[in-house]
Amino acid sequence: MTLLRAHLRLSAGRKALPRTCASLASLSVRHYSSAAPAMSDTTERKPLFDKILIANRGEIACRVMHTAKRMGIKTVAVYSEADADSMHVKLADEAYLIGTAPAAESYLRADKIIDVVRRSGAQAIHPGYGFLSENAKFAETLASQGIAFIGPPGAAMRAMGSKSESKRIMQKAGVPVVPGYHGENQDAAFLKQQAEQIGYPVLIKAVLGGGGKGMRIVEKPADFEMMLDSSRREALKSFGDDNVLVEKYLTKPRHVEVQVFADKHGNAVHLFERDCSVQRRHQKIIEEAPAPDLLPEVRRLLGEKAVAAAKAVKYEGAGTVEFIMDDETQQFYFMEMNTRLQVEHPVTEMITNTDLVQWQLEVAAGNRLPKLQNEIVCTGHAFEARIYAENPENGFLPDTGRLVHLATPQPSSDVRVETGVQTGDVISVYYDPMIAKLVVRGEDRQAALRVLRKALAEYEIVGLHTNIGFLRRLAESPDFIAAKVETGFINKHLDELFPPVAQPSAESIVQAALAHVIDSSTKAALSTHGGLASPWAAIDSFRLNAFGSQTTTLAYGDHQYTAKVRVVGNGMYSVCVTSESGDKIAEFHNVQPLWEPLPGGVGSTSAGGHLRALLNDRLCASNVVFNDKDSSITVFDQGRVAVFKVPVPQYFDDAGAASPGSVTAPMSCKIVQVMVEPGTEVEQNAPLVVLEAMKMEHVIKAPKAGKIASVYYKVGDLVEEGKNLVAFENE
């Protein structure tokens, strides 16, 4: 087995930044098998491409570039106007602007991408995942023009990329499939009739694509037409095809998938299976490999059937065969095949000591698979946690905004951070809300979970909502630890995963208060010293502040706390914390805070610092981050996280308050359908507006029965979070 080797890519002469600053350099650490592949026979090895174009963005574009650069292959990036300053553009050897922010005007424009191939001299295109990665017409167009497609041929993509066609192939091969309608008749009335024959609940799925896009659960006949229309719109935007299939919805399944790989010489292998059962909105949030607690015979059959499916369509490259499995009997049913590299491929790399992007490049160049089935060994256990910009406490709705602060766990041979963003970047409404993938490995499942929990505790993000806290609770769940996973896991553990908000510790309040006082003193020092942003000026201003006290009020949820910071000597303070009723919560004496501004922080409007202070007998060492956008102070205290708000005057609060009786946008979004107009009478839960954010649609329903007074936006409008969408007449 080859040794894993870390490749730290730093610009010449540039110093590595500390973990508290998620820089381009620090996020470029990757660990892959770096040895040249040992071909499976003595056939002469064909040369790899000299230059490739990556027809994608974000973390997958960066992921492909890391391997390409290690192999001496030049890379070409394409980007939209919204991605002009993105990480994948900076990492590439060349970059070309191909359109405006919407994917339909940029990353889905095959003609523009092919033009860039010609202009740049690239020999091949790596599609990543999403966008054009499963577009058979695109692959066939490239082949006709002598451009290599780093993926399967169009014929295999058509056969297995279509959920309907792939199910027919699998039935012919003797693999059971989920009961449903997989035919070509797309008439709405006919599909509804099929749903009634199958029996509710049913699942409407886009025939092409994946990732939960175009997928809707229908509980009753009255909802079928609305869900069908929504599924079709989302599928058309994501995959350029609005055909759907209808299947029986299984209520307690596991989602297990098998990684397969095939070359142009008839060789096909599997690299074991992954479990992706824990999902929200039909999208995976945590994956692991191998799948836990499978019977040996079931594990063997999964691999064999997946390889047989790949051989049946003369598949080439990386693919994933997905199965739904009964949690009780381990009977599995074929769902679909994703004809591309999956988001979760790193967990397979971690347990097999492989670089699957390198395998893709070898196969696309015409070489044989680097390893045959008997040479592929599974070692250890791995998890991937997807870090999303979303609000789990608000139905996992996606969030947008600037990454004010981003700090990641230290990468190692057992910890990978796959990302395409850094501090200061914006998560926009136009693309998927995934910020990063945190990938960990251990000698067994319990060891891997320990690594995962530690790494999640070290992950810091300020500027928008994320699911990091939710992932930490998930990784600590006794049933998750015991591998009792299935697709309904989240709904069955709501009380555990969404506990009542605990009040902050006195130590967290004190650290936020000390940081706030230091920040105020910093700004005063900047004013006094004519705008000179000296950290010594900031600290001296705090230490030499008049021998008296400063009082800070901090809000945490519905509660307010007051911290009185009193100077008792040179660089020494006492801090008293009281509740909003005036009751003393705690008092700390002889506190000597040490403050180190975060890189670029002094004088910044959204900054912070590293604070060290002995509070009674506990040495606290925290990153404290200020965000002027929402007047918040976030304390990251060795795995504990507390977010405080500095109360603003009432007249500022009133300016942003929603009008009585109004319905507001839960996130920044685009309006795709307006279902009411002024004067419309609606019942409670009637659909009002359909929003689109991060390629997903969301239906806004009436909170009560009544008459609509105003509709503020039309189809196509972009709306900021919190803006009024419609208003009811006052009763």
Side-chain angles (χ1 to χ4, degrees):
M1 182 177 293
T2 58
L3 295 176
L4 294 180
R5 191 175 299 166
H7 299 273
L8 177 60
R9 300 170 177 83
L10 295 174
S11 300
R14 183 176 178 183
K15 293 182 179 179
L17 298 178
R19 192 187 68 82
T20 52
C21 179
S23 65
L24 175 62
S26 64
L27 290 180
S28 295
V29 178
R30 296 295 182 273
H31 299 267
Y32 309 122
S33 174
S34 58
M39 293 297 129
S40 51
D41 66 9
T42 57
T43 302
E44 183 179 353
R45 184 163 175 254
K46 296 181 179 179
L48 300 181
F49 309 109
D50 294 314
K51 182 188 289 189
I52 65 171
L53 181 147
I54 296 92
N56 218 296
R57 63 178 299 280
E59 63 86 17
I60 185 58
C62 295
R63 164 69 185 89
V64 174
M65 288 176 190
H66 289 308
T67 291
K69 287 178 180 291
R70 177 172 60 77
M71 300 177 72
I73 299 172
K74 293 181 180 179
T75 58
V76 179
V78 292
Y79 65 96
S80 70
E81 291 177 352
D83 282 339
D85 295 322
S86 66
M87 185 185 290
H88 83 278
V89 173
K90 297 172 183 176
L91 283 175
D93 296 296
E94 303 173 38
Y96 294 79
L97 175 66
I98 56 171
T100 56
E105 298 300 323
S106 51
Y107 297 107
L108 290 173
R109 286 292 299 271
D111 57 333
K112 292 186 177 182
I113 291 171
I114 292 174
D115 179 61
V116 172
V117 171
R118 298 295 187 201
R119 293 161 58 194
S120 66
Q123 301 156 297
I125 288 181
H126 194 300
Y129 49 71
F131 296 134
L132 295 170
S133 64
E134 295 182 280
N135 188 310
K137 182 179 179 181
F138 180 59
E140 290 166 347
T141 299
L142 294 178
S144 69
Q145 297 186 26
I147 303 168
F149 180 74
I150 304 174
M157 205 179 298
R158 289 184 191 280
M160 297 305 278
S162 166
K163 293 180 177 64
S164 298
E165 178 65 17
S166 63
K167 280 180 167 57
R168 285 192 285 269
I169 292 171
M170 293 305 283
Q171 284 178 314
K172 187 176 180 180
V175 179
V177 301
V178 179
Y181 177 72
H182 311 126
E184 297 179 359
N185 191 335
Q186 294 292 301
D187 178 71
F190 176 80
L191 291 175
K192 185 174 183 180
Q193 183 183 36
Q194 294 299 308
E196 291 172 352
Q197 292 178 5
I198 296 166
Y200 289 90
V202 298
L203 189 65
I204 301 174
K205 299 170 66 174
V207 167
L208 299 182
K213 306 293 192 305
M215 188 180 294
R216 297 291 184 274
I217 298 172
V218 188
E219 300 283 354
K220 56 185 185 295
D223 294 339
F224 188 86
E225 287 88 350
M226 183 183 72
M227 291 296 189
L228 176 62
D229 289 344
S230 179
S231 172
R232 282 175 163 167
R233 282 195 305 271
E234 197 168 274
L236 189 62
K237 290 167 191 162
S238 298
F239 314 117
D241 187 295
D242 64 355
N243 287 332
V244 300
L245 54 82
V246 182
E247 292 182 337
K248 180 67 179 175
Y249 179 66
L250 303 179
T251 56
K252 194 183 177 184
R254 283 177 65 178
H255 182 136
V256 179
E257 62 187 32
V258 179
Q259 176 73 60
V260 295
F261 234 102
D263 61 25
K264 302 175 188 294
H265 304 277
N267 300 306
V269 299
H270 71 81
L271 291 93
F272 306 103
E273 75 290 334
R274 303 182 286 253
D275 192 294
C276 312
S277 297
V278 180
Q279 305 178 9
R280 89 283 181 266
R281 298 203 313 267
H282 311 298
Q283 287 186 309
K284 307 160 189 174
I285 53 175
I286 193 164
E287 302 97 347
E288 59 182 298
D293 297 339
L294 291 187
L295 296 171
E297 179 66 10
V298 172
R299 201 182 300 275
R300 181 184 66 80
L301 282 172
L302 282 168
E304 289 179 356
K305 294 298 184 183
V307 170
K311 288 183 174 181
V313 293
K314 296 181 174 59
Y315 196 79
E316 295 172 15
T320 300
V321 183
E322 301 196 355
F323 298 92
I324 236 172
M325 176 181 290
D326 186 287
D327 191 37
E328 299 292 336
T329 65
Q330 294 197 3
Q331 172 64 50
F332 58 85
Y333 302 91
F334 174 81
M335 283 200 304
E336 63 189 30
M337 183 174 185
N338 289 312
T339 55
R340 54 175 167 78
L341 196 65
Q342 289 279 84
V343 176
E344 58 272 20
H345 75 272
V347 292
T348 296
E349 292 179 325
M350 291 292 251
I351 65 166
T352 58
N353 191 29
T354 55
D355 181 341
L356 296 186
V357 173
Q358 178 177 333
W359 280 41
Q360 286 186 299
L361 294 169
E362 295 284 357
V363 168
N367 291 317
R368 295 180 181 272
L369 292 176
K371 293 182 180 181
L372 295 179
Q373 193 66 65
N374 63 350
E375 300 173 296
I376 302 171
V377 179
C378 175
T379 304
H381 202 96
F383 285 94
E384 174 183 280
R386 302 190 189 189
I387 310 298
Y388 277 108
E390 65 183 15
N391 188 350
E393 284 71 27
N394 190 22
F396 294 96
L397 288 179
D399 200 4
T400 60
R402 188 174 300 279
L403 294 165
V404 172
H405 170 76
L406 174 60
T408 72
Q410 183 65 42
S412 69
S413 60
D414 289 332
V415 178
R416 283 167 56 174
V417 179
E418 301 284 336
T419 189
V421 295
Q422 57 188 336
T423 298
D425 285 353
V426 173
I427 306 298
S428 78
V429 70
Y430 296 104
Y431 310 116
D432 189 270
M434 189 168 68
I435 297 171
K437 301 181 308 193
L438 175 61
V439 190
V440 303
R441 182 196 172 277
E443 292 306 311
D444 55 34
R445 191 173 188 273
Q446 295 305 313
L449 272 174
R450 286 196 300 272
V451 179
L452 177 63
R453 288 192 290 265
K454 181 177 184 295
L456 285 169
E458 295 171 353
Y459 220 118
E460 302 176 2
I461 295 178
V462 174
L464 35 65
H465 293 98
T466 76
N467 65 339
I468 294 174
F470 173 82
L471 289 170
R472 291 183 63 184
R473 295 190 294 272
L474 176 62
E476 294 167 356
S477 166
D479 278 353
F480 187 79
I481 292 171
K484 297 178 181 179
V485 293
E486 44 101 359
T487 58
F489 186 93
I490 292 176
N491 286 337
K492 292 178 182 178
H493 295 78
L494 290 176
D495 291 343
E496 177 186 358
L497 298 175
F498 297 95
V501 178
Q503 293 309 301
S505 66
E507 288 87 352
S508 293
I509 299 171
V510 169
Q511 290 174 88
L514 286 170
H516 182 58
V517 170
I518 293 172
D519 183 54
S520 300
S521 300
T522 300
K523 292 172 181 175
L526 289 171
S527 175
T528 302
H529 291 77
L532 295 176
S534 164
W536 291 110
I539 296 171
D540 289 345
S541 176
F542 176 49
R543 287 176 174 171
L544 300 178
N545 189 39
F547 284 93
S549 64
Q550 292 191 39
T551 299
T552 298
T553 300
L554 299 169
Y556 189 92
D558 296 330
H559 298 272
Q560 283 198 351
Y561 302 92
T562 299
K564 187 174 183 179
V565 181
R566 186 167 59 89
V567 180
V568 295
N570 186 20
M572 190 172 294
Y573 309 87
S574 68
V575 187
C576 181
V577 179
T578 57
S579 66
E580 51 196 328
S581 62
D583 296 330
K584 181 188 292 187
I585 295 175
E587 188 166 9
F588 300 90
H589 301 282
N590 301 323
V591 179
Q592 294 179 283
L594 297 176
W595 176 259
E596 180 184 356
L598 292 176
V602 175
S604 174
T605 57
S606 296
H610 184 71
L611 178 69
R612 289 175 62 88
L614 182 64
L615 302 179
N616 291 339
D617 59 352
R618 178 173 177 251
L619 178 61
C620 298
S622 306
N623 283 338
V624 185
V625 182
F626 309 114
N627 184 5
D628 287 355
K629 178 181 176 181
D630 60 359
S631 301
S632 67
I633 302 175
T634 303
V635 179
F636 296 98
D637 181 10
Q638 298 169 329
R640 306 173 182 87
V641 183
V643 182
F644 300 93
K645 296 291 182 68
V646 179
V648 297
Q650 186 63 42
Y651 53 83
F652 284 121
D653 259 357
D654 291 343
S659 303
S662 63
V663 177
T664 61
M667 74 207 99
S668 297
C669 57
K670 185 170 84 172
I671 305 295
V672 297
Q673 189 175 7
V674 178
M675 310 173 85
V676 294
E677 59 185 21
T680 302
E681 295 275 0
V682 298
E683 297 296 324
Q684 185 176 6
N685 293 323
L688 303 176
V689 181
V690 180
L691 315 176
E692 179 189 341
M694 280 85 167
K695 301 187 290 186
M696 297 288 287
E697 287 194 355
H698 309 271
V699 179
I700 303 300
K701 297 182 178 180
K704 62 179 181 179
K707 180 182 287 188
I708 302 299
S710 302
V711 178
Y712 297 105
Y713 295 95
K714 64 182 184 301
V715 173
D717 286 348
L718 296 178
V719 185
E720 293 182 4
E721 178 183 353
K723 294 293 186 181
N724 294 339
L725 298 173
V726 303
F728 285 82
E729 289 187 357
N730 292 329
E731 299 177 353

